[in-house]
Amino acid sequence: MGLLKKKHEKHSHPTFKGFLTAVLATIAAIFLLLLAGLSLAGTAVAFIAIMPLFIVFSPVLVPAGITTGLLAMGLAASGGSGLTALSIMSWLKKLAVKELPKILGQTLVTGSPGGHESH
């Protein structure tokens, strides 16, 4: 067996455009990370400040929250049931009134099989 020669690969140097893109992406990532941290800190401060109100008004807020949750579940269930009923009725209508396929240039003649109608 002979010796295999490695091909020398060209190593391209980073372009200015690629470098600028990396720098701008890093700056944007840092900015968004700082914004997320600031939002988290603000939420924590607001939670700590409002906590006494939650404790004082909990006899009102807990039943109100339960009632709101039950109301939302009831509305979602009734909407789903109504949509199901509409789809079933639509399916039954299509089943009961089967439309014959329409052929271009021909008309459908209805009546007795012999073509004579009795009076």
Side-chain angles (χ1 to χ4, degrees):
M1 290 204 154
L3 294 173
L4 295 175
K5 289 187 178 180
K6 281 188 178 179
K7 285 185 178 179
H8 293 289
E9 294 179 9
K10 261 189 178 179
H11 293 290
S12 62
H13 297 287
T15 61
F16 178 72
K17 182 179 176 183
F19 177 74
L20 189 63
T21 302
V23 168
L24 289 177
T26 303
I27 291 172
I30 290 171
F31 173 73
L32 290 173
L33 192 61
L34 287 175
L35 197 61
L38 187 64
S39 175
L40 179 65
T43 302
V45 167
F47 185 70
I48 290 169
I50 297 298
M51 185 55 72
L53 288 176
F54 279 137
I55 292 171
V56 168
F57 291 111
S58 65
V60 175
L61 292 176
V62 170
I66 291 171
T67 304
T68 304
L70 288 173
L71 179 67
M73 284 193 302
L75 287 174
S78 67
S81 298
L83 190 62
T84 302
L86 282 176
S87 65
I88 289 172
M89 288 191 301
S90 172
W91 178 74
L92 287 173
K93 179 187 175 276
K94 285 181 184 177
L95 188 66
V97 184
K98 283 197 171 191
E99 293 184 13
L100 296 174
K102 295 179 182 169
I103 301 172
L104 190 63
Q106 294 186 359
T107 58
L108 180 65
V109 178
T110 58
S112 60
H116 303 287
E117 291 194 24
S118 59
H119 292 280

